Amino acid sequence: TILGLCGLTIIILPSWLFIDSMIGGVLQLKASLETGAVTIPPPTEQVAGWPLIGPKAFELWTLASQNLGALISRYQGQITEIAGSLVERIMSAGGSVLQFLVAMIIAGILLATEGKAQFVHKFFSRLVGAQANEFMIVTQKTVQSVTKGVLGVAFIQTTLVGLGLLFAGVPHAGLWTLVVLILALLQLPAGIVVIPVIFYLFSVDNPLPAAIWSIYLLLAGLSDNVLKPVLLGRSAPVPMAVIFLGVIGGFVHSGFIGLFTGAIILSLGYKLFLSWLENGRENGATKRQPSKAS
């Protein structure tokens, strides 16, 4: 019961803080736009020197600093499309959070209930017979691998990026850190936040400290590429590639909760496939044995 309540708190509290911050920010932005209080500082000449996007970014930034309303009117269609897509993704993330809350409640009930191990063993015995223990271990190890390889990696990566944003003096570092955490949980690259921050650092800071912090943030943003192969497949009873494909496919099909269900289903399917191949090999060997003369 205590573990279940702690898990619910860990999920509900950050979700509530994010929703409250997002709603407050939207309302504040709306009020500022209506009163004309939104002011954007003009870009420096360094912005125009950015590779590939420098001239266009300088032009748009200058227009926004001089007449934000004109910029919004010019790109109203694109802004509406992006806003609609963002709202859709937020709603999908909210549904995933609700699913995870229900899963956490069910897990808490199971933890507080006796005899669940015997029930699961009987369930797998009906499915796979003598391999019940093996499939129970596969399920357990897969959940542990996903917990470490997805949730653990997301926490480590968010901590590294958040510290970099904080010490680099990036405005609203806490909010951007929360966005990085959400992206990491959704298996999206942290570069969505890191790359714009790097451009910002080069536009407001001296080249040397901007370059140092940019290198650190890039390494922190790419840390999941090293951590996932290590943690996602460690001590797993199936190859790491099988678990990773299950995580990605499960997320695409079922959202956040699919990170676990997809990995479990694909891992069990992989073991069943190997068992089928092994049984076929044994049956073939039995048929090839010469019969004894009477």
Side-chain angles (χ1 to χ4, degrees), residues 94-106:
S96 299
V97 171
L98 290 178
Q99 287 183 342
F100 205 70
L101 287 175
V102 174
M104 185 63 67
I105 292 173
I106 295 174

Side-chain angles (χ1 to χ4, degrees), residues 7 16 33 40 73 81 118 155-156 189 211 286:
W16 172 257
L33 290 174
I40 298 178
S73 299
E81 183 179 353
Q118 292 80 356
F155 177 78
I156 296 173
T286 302

Side-chain angles (χ1 to χ4, degrees), residues 223-241:
S223 60
D224 60 328
N225 294 287
V226 178
L227 294 173
K228 279 181 182 177
V230 175
L231 297 179
L232 194 60
R234 180 181 292 273
S235 71
V238 298
M240 186 272 292

Side-chain angles (χ1 to χ4, degrees), residues 1-17 97 100-101 104-105:
T1 302
I2 293 174
L3 289 174
L5 292 175
C6 290
L8 291 175
T9 303
I10 292 173
I11 298 172
I12 293 175
L13 187 58
S15 301
W16 172 257
L17 292 175
V97 171
F100 205 70
L101 287 175
M104 185 63 67
I105 292 173

